[in-house]
Amino acid sequence: VQLQASGGGLVQAGDSLRLSCVASRSFGIYSVGWFRQTPGRERESVASIAWSGRNPSYADFVKGRFTIAKDSATNTVSLQMNSLKPEDTAVYYCAAKRRSPGVYDVWGQGTLVTVSS
């Protein structure tokens, strides 16, 4: 399976962006997560969702602002980001876990999100 991430851009604080992660196939995926990384910092988990579309999970710092969702028709996991803050600026990656228990071992390319103050 391959993942293609898109949707990043430059926005102002308070604006919204929607990231998309398209999987190359509809099977062989257990869950998908969004992660982010800034220079000099470790990559951190932002949100995840089961491939069934159930059990969304969020990091505390995005709860109430970001929403992760699965579109089965297009094999897409989206991350709707509202009320963006400058500290949300990062390269965002989507990744797939192919089995449980397992690790996120399939990664898409990053998409840059820049939030200006």
Side-chain angles (χ1 to χ4, degrees), residues 29-100:
I29 299 173
Y30 177 77
S31 66
V32 172
W34 283 98
F35 299 78
R36 69 187 189 186
Q37 189 167 24
T38 54
R41 297 186 64 179
E42 291 188 359
R43 184 172 57 205
E44 57 186 359
S45 175
V46 175
S48 64
I49 191 167
W51 192 239
S52 64
R54 299 175 181 174
N55 304 324
S57 178
Y58 302 93
D60 286 344
F61 54 80
V62 303
K63 282 182 179 177
R65 299 189 298 126
F66 292 11
T67 302
I68 190 169
K70 158 82 184 305
D71 182 343
S72 296
T74 60
N75 294 336
T76 300
V77 173
S78 62
L79 184 69
Q80 177 66 41
M81 306 186 295
N82 298 331
S83 301
L84 283 162
K85 305 174 181 180
E87 51 263 45
D88 293 318
T89 295
V91 178
Y92 284 71
Y93 301 87
C94 62
K97 185 184 295 186
R98 291 183 286 175
R99 61 187 63 84
S100 179

